[in-house]
Amino acid sequence: MSLASYAASDDQSRGRRYQESSPSYRSEYQRDRDRIVHSAAFRRLEYKTQVFVNHEGDLFRTRLTHSIEVAQIARSVARSLRLNEDLTEAIALAHDLGHTPFGHTGQDALNACMKDYGGFEHNLQSLRVVDELEERYAEFPGLNLTFEAREGILKHCSTKMAREIGDVASRFINKTQPGAEAQLVNLADEIAYNNHDVDDGLRYGLIELDQLREIQLFAEQYDEVQKLYPDLVPRRRIHEIIRRMINRMVVDLVENSQRLLAEAGVTTADSVRAAAQPVIGYSEELRSQALELKRFLRSSLYNHYRVRRMSRKSALIIQQLFETFMGDVRLLPPQYQEKIEACKEAADEPETCRARIIADYIAGMTDRYAIAEHRRLFTPETPV
Ligand code: MG
């Protein structure tokens, strides 16, 4: 099946930061995807969590399985809308590369540590990972991804930061849209986490079926499953409900996006960027239902006292690691000390440069590495 005229395509790509010859048997976006899969940051996603700490249990989602679920959902929708599936997959697999250990708590804690040094934001960090931090290729820093993949990874950005980043962030200054594939991954991300957090929350006993039956999106699927299979064991019942919720959201997204694309009359990828509104989105009805579910998860799951206890411990680990390394950089592994050494000559603000390198080190840690590193620094019995 051919791509839609508004899909991203190799021949209209804005290219890579460092020029390279085209791959022989792959598209440019396949190459992007492949570079992401082979990166160190991608492998670390296996031991990073979103809501639950990794060692809590083997069945919970990690950032790796989350990213694969996002890619699965996004690719299905991309194929239905005849968008570029390879680019969609690349953005989906890379979208969380910049996350700190311990999910959003980790990011908030690191952001607080970095408040005098330009702050910390996981989206910007994802871009930093693919543009600079991956050290793998002889001829360029980072993964040298296409403009379109980088545009998709950079989901939010302040205008101040956008001025520093330049080209790939210009839409945050001009108030334009990203390409359709980027818009799509953003929503696939939401579909994935809203549903798997319900699943993990139930499994962990942090939320109850009865609470969820107050939420329309869940209740409708619950009623249908009860009617069809009244005697189903709980695990199967939950999966039957969740697969229907995902399906409901995906079908709505496809059908409503078809309508939006037609209404906007877009004919090229650049006309998608110039359109007044996003061209990929839910219907009004589903949007408010998804919002209701999101609010419920925020109040009942993400703020559950047991989640908050884990969050507090995680925040302390991040904060103490940061303060300790800032206080004495000689405690850092040698390769980070070398980078900090270079700050003295290169940057006009050595302290900001040092803080950023320490933030890169901490952000790159997996949950279990951060816990182990904290032990090595703070627990006398633990070998250093
Ligand atoms: Mg995500």
Side-chain angles (χ1 to χ4, degrees):
M1 194 161 63
S2 65
L3 293 181
S5 62
Y6 42 76
S9 62
D10 275 17
D11 51 329
Q12 281 174 31
S13 170
R14 292 196 210 173
R16 303 174 189 275
R17 293 204 298 167
Y18 301 86
Q19 234 186 345
E20 293 181 67
S21 49
S22 300
S24 311
Y25 297 103
R26 294 178 292 175
S27 71
E28 296 289 349
Y29 303 122
Q30 276 180 284
R31 179 190 257 172
D32 281 350
R33 190 256 337 266
D34 298 347
R35 285 185 178 177
I36 291 158
V37 168
H38 287 274
S39 71
F42 185 71
R43 288 194 295 279
R44 291 199 195 108
L45 295 176
E46 184 174 3
Y47 299 104
K48 292 192 180 198
T49 44
Q50 311 225 111
V51 181
F52 305 92
V53 176
N54 192 269
H55 60 73
E56 296 287 338
D58 289 348
L59 279 172
F60 297 111
R61 267 69 173 192
T62 65
R63 288 219 177 263
L64 181 64
T65 59
H66 162 70
S67 300
I68 294 170
E69 288 183 30
V70 175
Q72 179 275 313
I73 291 168
R75 284 179 55 192
S76 303
V77 177
R79 202 179 292 186
S80 311
L81 296 174
R82 295 194 298 130
L83 295 176
N84 193 306
E85 207 175 316
D86 295 327
L87 173 61
T88 302
E89 186 182 14
I91 299 171
L93 294 178
H95 87 282
D96 272 352
L97 288 180
H99 263 290
T100 60
F102 315 126
H104 284 279
T105 318
Q107 137 149 329
D108 293 346
L110 194 53
N111 187 32
C113 295
M114 288 292 288
K115 79 173 188 312
D116 295 333
Y117 311 107
F120 179 90
E121 208 276 320
H122 69 88
N123 261 290
L124 291 175
Q125 191 70 7
S126 297
L127 189 66
R128 196 167 150 77
V129 167
V130 300
D131 279 359
E132 289 172 48
L133 297 182
E134 282 288 323
E135 295 175 324
R136 309 178 66 75
Y137 297 90
E139 301 197 352
F140 45 79
L143 306 178
N144 198 30
L145 302 181
T146 59
F147 175 92
E148 295 73 26
R150 296 169 62 234
E151 174 194 44
I153 290 168
L154 191 63
K155 203 160 62 177
H156 321 283
C157 183
S158 67
T159 43
K160 181 172 167 278
M161 205 44 106
R163 275 185 209 102
E164 280 176 39
I165 296 172
D167 204 18
V168 77
S170 60
R171 77 172 189 272
F172 299 100
I173 297 167
N174 307 332
K175 310 281 179 230
T176 53
Q177 313 294 334
E181 289 80 2
Q183 295 181 28
L184 163 55
V185 173
N186 209 348
L187 287 157
D189 184 21
E190 243 187 69
I191 295 176
Y193 70 68
N194 279 328
N195 286 289
H196 65 50
D197 286 353
V198 167
D199 191 27
D200 284 350
L202 284 168
R203 187 190 304 277
Y204 204 66
L206 298 177
I207 49 178
E208 302 292 337
L209 272 181
D210 284 346
Q211 287 176 290
L212 279 159
R213 287 176 64 192
E214 309 279 310
I215 310 300
Q216 197 186 348
L217 194 59
F218 188 92
E220 283 176 10
Q221 318 309 324
Y222 176 93
D223 292 344
E224 188 182 302
V225 172
Q226 276 302 90
K227 206 158 54 181
L228 287 170
Y229 312 105
D231 302 320
L232 218 50
V233 295
R235 274 260 42 93
R236 288 188 182 205
R237 189 202 298 156
I238 291 165
H239 182 66
E240 285 292 342
I241 296 167
I242 288 174
R243 68 186 276 250
R244 280 172 174 75
M245 284 209 293
I246 296 176
N247 190 56
R248 162 100 173 81
M249 295 171 105
V250 165
V251 169
D252 183 278
L253 184 58
V254 170
E255 290 174 359
N256 196 63
S257 300
Q258 280 165 340
R259 187 179 64 80
L260 292 173
L261 284 158
E263 277 175 14
V266 288
T267 48
T268 62
D270 276 335
S271 62
V272 169
R273 293 188 175 89
Q277 306 289 333
V279 291
I280 307 294
Y282 304 130
S283 65
E284 265 316 309
E285 191 200 346
L286 194 87
R287 197 164 37 178
S288 67
Q289 287 191 14
L291 199 64
E292 186 195 18
L293 176 61
K294 234 174 162 168
R295 288 206 181 107
F296 166 77
L297 287 172
R298 194 175 313 136
S299 63
S300 306
L301 181 60
Y302 311 141
N303 278 311
H304 192 285
Y305 83 97
R306 286 170 65 197
V307 175
R308 292 189 76 96
R309 283 183 183 193
M310 288 190 279
S311 302
R312 184 174 175 279
K313 284 194 268 191
S314 319
L316 274 178
I317 292 175
I318 300 272
Q319 191 194 330
Q320 289 176 347
L321 287 176
F322 185 84
E323 281 168 6
T324 306
F325 292 133
M326 277 301 270
D328 186 356
V329 297
R330 292 168 305 176
L331 297 170
L332 284 161
Q335 68 270 33
Y336 289 93
Q337 291 192 41
E338 278 162 33
K339 285 187 180 180
I340 288 173
E341 198 55 36
C343 280
K344 282 184 189 153
E345 301 134 40
D348 12 59
E349 290 173 81
E351 197 172 320
T352 303
C353 177
R354 181 171 52 174
R356 184 59 59 195
I357 289 164
I358 292 170
D360 287 339
Y361 178 45
I362 294 174
M365 293 178 185
T366 60
D367 295 7
R368 62 183 192 174
Y369 184 92
I371 293 168
E373 186 73 333
H374 187 267
R375 261 196 220 119
R376 287 191 283 268
L377 286 162
F378 288 92
T379 311
E381 304 80 49
T382 306
V384 295

